[in-house]
Structures are given as C-alpha cells and as structure tokens.
Amino acid sequence: MTALERVLPALRLDLPAVPEAVPGLRRAAREWLDEPCADVQLCVTELVSNVIRHVGEGTPVRVRVARTGARIRVEVTDPDPHTLPVLRRADADAEAEQGRGLSLLDAVVCRWGVDHAGENKTVWCELDGT
C-alpha cells in the first residue's frame, strides 16, 4: 500500500442503479479525488448507466473508486453475471444516441474488463491518475 492509498481510502457506495443517483455519484467521485476528474466521472456514469439500461433500473450496485499505484480504478458490481458489456463502434451517421457509452469509456481509459465472483460481476476500468 502506498502512502497515498493510506491517506485516501477507496470510495465505496452501495445504492440502487437509478438515473437519479448518477449526478450524486459524479459529485462523490469529484469530492473524493478533490480535483477535476471528468474522465473518472464519465466512467462512473457510463458503467452505472449500463447497469440501468441492460440489467434493470433499481438493480443494487456497488461503486468503488480507488487509487491503485499511479492509476485510478473504477468498479461497478451488480448481481447479474450473465449480462456482459459489449464494445460496439457507433456509426457516425446513426441517429440513435445509444451504444456510444462504452466506446467513450474505451477511448479515455488505459484498460477495462469484467471480473466474475459467484453470482456477481464487476465491470472495471483504469485511468492514469495524474
């Protein structure tokens, strides 16, 4: 554990995945980091929005934001191990606004993935923590 990790423990929030919760999550991430963090806020927003859209509104989630060395890791855990995120390339001419979130996330993060643990899955991403 680095000195920074000892000073700044992970942000952990358990809540239902509802649209009304997203602004509070973005605010909590900003307050936790105590600095502008648009990319972290984008990641939190997109990962929770994917749960709302693909698993179901009101699904209980755990959101975790932590410094891991020189990176910031964002994790969203939900109770549906079968509904997995799929990176799709949005057609520039498409009128639908859906399907772009994971592409945006993929563009700003160093890496992302999915971990399975029993009856849950965690979708995570890592960003440079500069």
Side-chain angles (χ1 to χ4, degrees):
M1 181 182 310
T2 68
L4 184 56
E5 289 171 317
R6 282 191 296 275
V7 172
L8 189 63
L11 170 67
R12 296 170 200 240
L13 300 166
D14 292 313
L15 63 145
V18 294
E20 300 79 18
V22 174
L25 289 169
R26 287 193 298 258
R27 188 171 37 259
R30 167 109 174 52
E31 289 171 359
W32 178 78
L33 284 168
D34 196 29
E35 63 186 43
C37 58
D39 290 346
V40 172
Q41 291 173 310
L42 170 80
C43 293
V44 168
T45 298
E46 293 305 328
L47 293 179
V48 172
S49 294
N50 279 348
V51 173
I52 294 167
R53 186 175 299 114
H54 300 292
V55 179
E57 188 170 331
T59 299
V61 295
R62 170 167 288 160
V63 177
R64 182 175 179 272
V65 182
R67 288 202 183 265
T68 57
R71 293 195 173 155
I72 298 171
R73 183 175 174 103
V74 176
E75 301 174 348
V76 174
T77 302
D78 70 66
D80 183 349
H82 305 294
T83 304
L84 301 175
V86 177
L87 179 61
R88 294 183 284 175
R89 298 291 175 205
D91 181 358
D93 296 328
E95 294 195 26
E97 291 298 318
Q98 294 182 347
R100 300 181 197 284
L102 208 51
S103 293
L104 289 170
L105 183 139
D106 187 60
V108 301
V109 303
C110 301
R111 62 189 195 128
W112 67 273
V114 180
D115 293 332
H116 290 89
E119 296 297 313
N120 298 321
K121 77 167 172 299
T122 299
V123 183
W124 57 269
C125 61
E126 293 180 352
L127 304 99
D128 284 329
T130 57

